[in-house]
PDB file of all heavy atoms in Angstrom:
ATOM      1  N   CYS A 342       6.033   9.181  55.556  1.00  0.00           N
ATOM      2  CA  CYS A 342       6.623  10.427  55.094  1.00  0.00           C
ATOM      3  C   CYS A 342       8.124  10.232  54.881  1.00  0.00           C
ATOM      4  O   CYS A 342       8.697  10.675  53.895  1.00  0.00           O
ATOM      5  CB  CYS A 342       6.345  11.520  56.122  1.00  0.00           C
ATOM      6  SG  CYS A 342       6.744  13.141  55.541  1.00  0.00           S
ATOM      7  N   GLU A 343       8.745   9.532  55.836  1.00  0.00           N
ATOM      8  CA  GLU A 343      10.180   9.316  55.757  1.00  0.00           C
ATOM      9  C   GLU A 343      10.556   8.511  54.518  1.00  0.00           C
ATOM     10  O   GLU A 343      11.467   8.881  53.779  1.00  0.00           O
ATOM     11  CB  GLU A 343      10.615   8.597  57.026  1.00  0.00           C
ATOM     12  CG  GLU A 343      12.040   8.861  57.388  1.00  0.00           C
ATOM     13  CD  GLU A 343      12.404   8.182  58.700  1.00  0.00           C
ATOM     14  OE1 GLU A 343      11.505   7.978  59.537  1.00  0.00           O
ATOM     15  OE2 GLU A 343      13.580   7.844  58.857  1.00  0.00           O
ATOM     16  N   GLU A 344       9.810   7.414  54.286  1.00  0.00           N
ATOM     17  CA  GLU A 344      10.092   6.573  53.111  1.00  0.00           C
ATOM     18  C   GLU A 344      10.031   7.404  51.840  1.00  0.00           C
ATOM     19  O   GLU A 344      10.913   7.337  50.981  1.00  0.00           O
ATOM     20  CB  GLU A 344       9.038   5.454  52.992  1.00  0.00           C
ATOM     21  CG  GLU A 344       9.240   4.295  53.921  1.00  0.00           C
ATOM     22  CD  GLU A 344       8.033   3.333  53.912  1.00  0.00           C
ATOM     23  OE1 GLU A 344       6.957   3.694  53.366  1.00  0.00           O
ATOM     24  OE2 GLU A 344       8.186   2.249  54.450  1.00  0.00           O
ATOM     25  N   TYR A 345       8.980   8.203  51.746  1.00  0.00           N
ATOM     26  CA  TYR A 345       8.786   8.951  50.518  1.00  0.00           C
ATOM     27  C   TYR A 345       9.888   9.998  50.340  1.00  0.00           C
ATOM     28  O   TYR A 345      10.478  10.106  49.268  1.00  0.00           O
ATOM     29  CB  TYR A 345       7.410   9.615  50.492  1.00  0.00           C
ATOM     30  CG  TYR A 345       7.193  10.400  49.223  1.00  0.00           C
ATOM     31  CD1 TYR A 345       6.929   9.747  48.014  1.00  0.00           C
ATOM     32  CD2 TYR A 345       7.317  11.781  49.222  1.00  0.00           C
ATOM     33  CE1 TYR A 345       6.787  10.454  46.842  1.00  0.00           C
ATOM     34  CE2 TYR A 345       7.168  12.506  48.046  1.00  0.00           C
ATOM     35  CZ  TYR A 345       6.905  11.842  46.862  1.00  0.00           C
ATOM     36  OH  TYR A 345       6.773  12.538  45.693  1.00  0.00           O
ATOM     37  N   ILE A 346      10.163  10.764  51.395  1.00  0.00           N
ATOM     38  CA  ILE A 346      11.155  11.836  51.270  1.00  0.00           C
ATOM     39  C   ILE A 346      12.527  11.254  50.952  1.00  0.00           C
ATOM     40  O   ILE A 346      13.279  11.785  50.130  1.00  0.00           O
ATOM     41  CB  ILE A 346      11.206  12.674  52.572  1.00  0.00           C
ATOM     42  CG1 ILE A 346       9.869  13.374  52.807  1.00  0.00           C
ATOM     43  CG2 ILE A 346      12.331  13.694  52.528  1.00  0.00           C
ATOM     44  CD1 ILE A 346       9.448  14.334  51.721  1.00  0.00           C
ATOM     45  N   LYS A 347      12.832  10.103  51.561  1.00  0.00           N
ATOM     46  CA  LYS A 347      14.126   9.484  51.281  1.00  0.00           C
ATOM     47  C   LYS A 347      14.209   8.972  49.845  1.00  0.00           C
ATOM     48  O   LYS A 347      15.286   8.797  49.307  1.00  0.00           O
ATOM     49  CB  LYS A 347      14.395   8.349  52.269  1.00  0.00           C
ATOM     50  CG  LYS A 347      14.807   8.892  53.632  1.00  0.00           C
ATOM     51  CD  LYS A 347      15.256   7.805  54.575  1.00  0.00           C
ATOM     52  CE  LYS A 347      15.803   8.442  55.840  1.00  0.00           C
ATOM     53  NZ  LYS A 347      15.735   7.536  56.991  1.00  0.00           N
ATOM     54  N   SER A 348      13.053   8.723  49.239  1.00  0.00           N
ATOM     55  CA  SER A 348      13.050   8.210  47.870  1.00  0.00           C
ATOM     56  C   SER A 348      13.291   9.312  46.847  1.00  0.00           C
ATOM     57  O   SER A 348      13.478   9.059  45.668  1.00  0.00           O
ATOM     58  CB  SER A 348      11.715   7.522  47.573  1.00  0.00           C
ATOM     59  OG  SER A 348      10.736   8.497  47.251  1.00  0.00           O
ATOM     60  N   LEU A 349      13.279  10.562  47.295  1.00  0.00           N
ATOM     61  CA  LEU A 349      13.481  11.669  46.360  1.00  0.00           C
ATOM     62  C   LEU A 349      14.980  11.852  46.157  1.00  0.00           C
ATOM     63  O   LEU A 349      15.611  12.716  46.761  1.00  0.00           O
ATOM     64  CB  LEU A 349      12.842  12.951  46.893  1.00  0.00           C
ATOM     65  CG  LEU A 349      11.336  12.865  47.149  1.00  0.00           C
ATOM     66  CD1 LEU A 349      10.825  14.129  47.797  1.00  0.00           C
ATOM     67  CD2 LEU A 349      10.588  12.595  45.853  1.00  0.00           C
ATOM     68  N   THR A 350      15.531  10.996  45.308  1.00  0.00           N
ATOM     69  CA  THR A 350      16.981  10.912  45.186  1.00  0.00           C
ATOM     70  C   THR A 350      17.611  12.201  44.668  1.00  0.00           C
ATOM     71  O   THR A 350      18.761  12.486  44.948  1.00  0.00           O
ATOM     72  CB  THR A 350      17.374   9.739  44.267  1.00  0.00           C
ATOM     73  OG1 THR A 350      16.426   9.711  43.205  1.00  0.00           O
ATOM     74  CG2 THR A 350      17.338   8.426  45.020  1.00  0.00           C
ATOM     75  N   ALA A 351      16.844  12.959  43.922  1.00  0.00           N
ATOM     76  CA  ALA A 351      17.404  14.193  43.373  1.00  0.00           C
ATOM     77  C   ALA A 351      17.511  15.297  44.418  1.00  0.00           C
ATOM     78  O   ALA A 351      18.181  16.300  44.211  1.00  0.00           O
ATOM     79  CB  ALA A 351      16.561  14.674  42.194  1.00  0.00           C
ATOM     80  N   ASN A 352      16.823  15.119  45.526  1.00  0.00           N
ATOM     81  CA  ASN A 352      16.826  16.171  46.542  1.00  0.00           C
ATOM     82  C   ASN A 352      17.165  15.628  47.924  1.00  0.00           C
ATOM     83  O   ASN A 352      16.340  15.627  48.829  1.00  0.00           O
ATOM     84  CB  ASN A 352      15.455  16.852  46.589  1.00  0.00           C
ATOM     85  CG  ASN A 352      15.051  17.392  45.245  1.00  0.00           C
ATOM     86  OD1 ASN A 352      14.433  16.708  44.443  1.00  0.00           O
ATOM     87  ND2 ASN A 352      15.448  18.624  44.997  1.00  0.00           N
ATOM     88  N   PRO A 353      18.391  15.153  48.094  1.00  0.00           N
ATOM     89  CA  PRO A 353      18.735  14.506  49.363  1.00  0.00           C
ATOM     90  C   PRO A 353      18.673  15.463  50.559  1.00  0.00           C
ATOM     91  O   PRO A 353      18.496  15.030  51.688  1.00  0.00           O
ATOM     92  CB  PRO A 353      20.172  14.029  49.141  1.00  0.00           C
ATOM     93  CG  PRO A 353      20.691  14.883  48.038  1.00  0.00           C
ATOM     94  CD  PRO A 353      19.530  15.241  47.178  1.00  0.00           C
ATOM     95  N   GLU A 354      18.786  16.762  50.310  1.00  0.00           N
ATOM     96  CA  GLU A 354      18.822  17.711  51.429  1.00  0.00           C
ATOM     97  C   GLU A 354      17.495  17.770  52.174  1.00  0.00           C
ATOM     98  O   GLU A 354      17.430  18.205  53.319  1.00  0.00           O
ATOM     99  CB  GLU A 354      19.246  19.102  50.952  1.00  0.00           C
ATOM    100  CG  GLU A 354      18.195  19.886  50.174  1.00  0.00           C
ATOM    101  CD  GLU A 354      17.987  19.379  48.748  1.00  0.00           C
ATOM    102  OE1 GLU A 354      18.778  18.537  48.290  1.00  0.00           O
ATOM    103  OE2 GLU A 354      17.024  19.820  48.101  1.00  0.00           O
ATOM    104  N   LEU A 355      16.422  17.293  51.519  1.00  0.00           N
ATOM    105  CA  LEU A 355      15.111  17.348  52.164  1.00  0.00           C
ATOM    106  C   LEU A 355      15.046  16.499  53.430  1.00  0.00           C
ATOM    107  O   LEU A 355      14.304  16.809  54.355  1.00  0.00           O
ATOM    108  CB  LEU A 355      14.036  16.858  51.188  1.00  0.00           C
ATOM    109  CG  LEU A 355      13.522  17.864  50.158  1.00  0.00           C
ATOM    110  CD1 LEU A 355      12.446  17.218  49.327  1.00  0.00           C
ATOM    111  CD2 LEU A 355      12.983  19.098  50.853  1.00  0.00           C
ATOM    112  N   VAL A 356      15.835  15.435  53.434  1.00  0.00           N
ATOM    113  CA  VAL A 356      15.783  14.489  54.544  1.00  0.00           C
ATOM    114  C   VAL A 356      16.019  15.195  55.879  1.00  0.00           C
ATOM    115  O   VAL A 356      15.406  14.881  56.887  1.00  0.00           O
ATOM    116  CB  VAL A 356      16.822  13.366  54.328  1.00  0.00           C
ATOM    117  CG1 VAL A 356      16.854  12.423  55.512  1.00  0.00           C
ATOM    118  CG2 VAL A 356      16.479  12.617  53.048  1.00  0.00           C
ATOM    119  N   ASP A 357      16.904  16.206  55.857  1.00  0.00           N
ATOM    120  CA  ASP A 357      17.217  16.935  57.089  1.00  0.00           C
ATOM    121  C   ASP A 357      16.005  17.596  57.715  1.00  0.00           C
ATOM    122  O   ASP A 357      15.973  17.835  58.916  1.00  0.00           O
ATOM    123  CB  ASP A 357      18.236  18.040  56.783  1.00  0.00           C
ATOM    124  CG  ASP A 357      19.614  17.468  56.615  1.00  0.00           C
ATOM    125  OD1 ASP A 357      19.735  16.233  56.707  1.00  0.00           O
ATOM    126  OD2 ASP A 357      20.549  18.244  56.399  1.00  0.00           O
ATOM    127  N   ARG A 358      15.077  17.937  56.869  1.00  0.00           N
ATOM    128  CA  ARG A 358      13.951  18.708  57.388  1.00  0.00           C
ATOM    129  C   ARG A 358      12.839  17.827  57.938  1.00  0.00           C
ATOM    130  O   ARG A 358      11.829  18.315  58.418  1.00  0.00           O
ATOM    131  CB  ARG A 358      13.409  19.636  56.294  1.00  0.00           C
ATOM    132  CG  ARG A 358      14.467  20.614  55.838  1.00  0.00           C
ATOM    133  CD  ARG A 358      13.966  21.567  54.807  1.00  0.00           C
ATOM    134  NE  ARG A 358      12.955  22.467  55.347  1.00  0.00           N
ATOM    135  CZ  ARG A 358      12.417  23.440  54.635  1.00  0.00           C
ATOM    136  NH1 ARG A 358      12.777  23.630  53.400  1.00  0.00           N
ATOM    137  NH2 ARG A 358      11.504  24.219  55.171  1.00  0.00           N
ATOM    138  N   LEU A 359      13.044  16.506  57.845  1.00  0.00           N
ATOM    139  CA  LEU A 359      12.055  15.583  58.417  1.00  0.00           C
ATOM    140  C   LEU A 359      12.048  15.717  59.923  1.00  0.00           C
ATOM    141  O   LEU A 359      13.096  15.748  60.563  1.00  0.00           O
ATOM    142  CB  LEU A 359      12.453  14.148  58.079  1.00  0.00           C
ATOM    143  CG  LEU A 359      11.974  13.569  56.763  1.00  0.00           C
ATOM    144  CD1 LEU A 359      12.619  12.208  56.577  1.00  0.00           C
ATOM    145  CD2 LEU A 359      10.471  13.453  56.744  1.00  0.00           C
ATOM    146  N   ALA A 360      10.866  15.805  60.468  1.00  0.00           N
ATOM    147  CA  ALA A 360      10.778  15.822  61.924  1.00  0.00           C
ATOM    148  C   ALA A 360      10.947  14.400  62.410  1.00  0.00           C
ATOM    149  O   ALA A 360      10.484  13.460  61.770  1.00  0.00           O
ATOM    150  CB  ALA A 360       9.426  16.361  62.355  1.00  0.00           C
TER     151      ALA A 360
END
Side-chain angles (χ1 to χ4, degrees):
Chain A
C342 191
E343 207 177 332
E344 282 171 348
Y345 180 75
I346 296 299
K347 284 188 173 156
S348 81
L349 301 174
T350 39
N352 304 89
E354 74 286 350
L355 278 182
V356 176
D357 284 2
R358 299 182 67 177
L359 273 174

